[in-house]
Amino acid sequence: MVKAVFPGSFDPPTFGHLNIIERARTIFSEIHVVVAVNSEKRYLLSESERVALIKEMVKPWDNVFVHSWSNLIVEYAKQIEARVLIRGVRNLADFSYEFDLAMMNRGLNPEIETVFFSTDPQYFVLRSSAIKELASFGGDVSSMVPEPVALVLRQKFSGRSISTKNTKV
Ligand code: ADP
């Protein structure tokens, strides 16, 4: 009965994130998706939008829960007695970043293990930042994110002038 936390910005959540959750939920007893709220970062989607969208995406799965958190993720994991942090890895650049992050989190709490999930090849090009950029130019993101997310992205970018688009992504 090992609980796991899957932290991220999820700005926006994508089919890549969903794939990790779907795979992880069959291995761990509970998956707690934690939407990061970092006051230093600018997000396109608000905390409540990101939480609501992920809740909608994971609705069929009764062992997946969604929360937001503005503090250290290891603190959150400790609070809910989760032993594992899940992170996804698409390529070497991701691995390098994720490895440093895992070392830092291990330094903060050695009892919590980071487990890496390699991306499914189908989703390895999916990246929230690129999806936002594509959506900002009116591109079709329907194969990259679930329909409710695509709808929110369309609403966010509809009627925006080119000059404001680039500052928001
Ligand atoms: P963060 O700002 O914490 O990196 P993200 O929402 O970008 O938040 O990503 C959360 C986690 O999901 C990260 O570990 C990231 O590498 C992983 N991830 C994102 N997209 C994919 C994908 N397409 N395939 C596998 N893992 C992914």
Side-chain angles (χ1 to χ4, degrees), residues 10 30 39 65-66 78 82 87 97 99 105 107 115 158 162 164:
F10 306 108
E30 291 180 10
S39 56
F65 308 90
V66 187
K78 190 175 171 191
R87 296 289 290 177
Y97 172 75
F99 189 79
N105 283 327
V115 172
S158 67
I162 298 286
T164 58

Side-chain angles (χ1 to χ4, degrees), residues 24-161:
R25 70 171 285 275
T26 65
I27 297 173
F28 299 106
S29 59
E30 291 180 10
I31 304 296
H32 294 262
V33 181
V34 179
V35 171
V37 183
N38 179 345
S39 56
E40 303 291 305
K41 274 195 182 177
R42 286 190 67 194
Y43 300 102
L44 174 69
L45 273 59
S46 69
E47 169 188 352
S48 56
E49 284 172 323
R50 289 177 286 149
V51 168
L53 287 168
I54 304 171
K55 278 192 173 162
E56 182 65 27
M57 288 159 71
V58 303
K59 217 154 93 186
W61 301 324
D62 59 4
N63 65 338
V64 181
F65 308 90
V66 187
H67 323 263
S68 60
W69 182 248
S70 58
N71 216 320
L72 289 174
I73 196 62
V74 287
E75 293 297 328
Y76 186 84
K78 190 175 171 191
Q79 190 175 293
I80 64 159
E81 297 180 342
R83 291 281 323 281
V84 169
L85 289 184
I86 294 169
R87 296 289 290 177
V89 177
R90 283 159 293 205
N91 52 33
L92 216 53
D94 269 1
F95 184 75
S96 166
Y97 172 75
E98 295 294 344
F99 189 79
D100 286 355
L101 203 60
M103 287 301 104
M104 198 181 70
N105 283 327
R106 189 162 181 77
L108 292 170
N109 187 339
E111 289 178 5
I112 297 173
E113 296 290 346
T114 298
V115 172
F116 299 115
F117 277 67
S118 56
T119 188
D120 186 293
Q122 200 183 339
Y123 302 116
F124 100 106
V125 293
L126 299 189
R127 187 171 296 276
S128 296
S129 54
I131 291 172
K132 276 184 284 195
E133 193 168 355
L134 179 58
S136 78
F137 288 105
D140 179 14
V141 296
S142 58
S143 63
M144 304 172 186
V145 296
E147 185 46 36
V149 179
L151 184 66
V152 169
L153 290 176
R154 277 198 295 277
Q155 285 165 350
K156 293 268 172 196
F157 291 112
S158 67
R160 276 204 188 164
S161 69

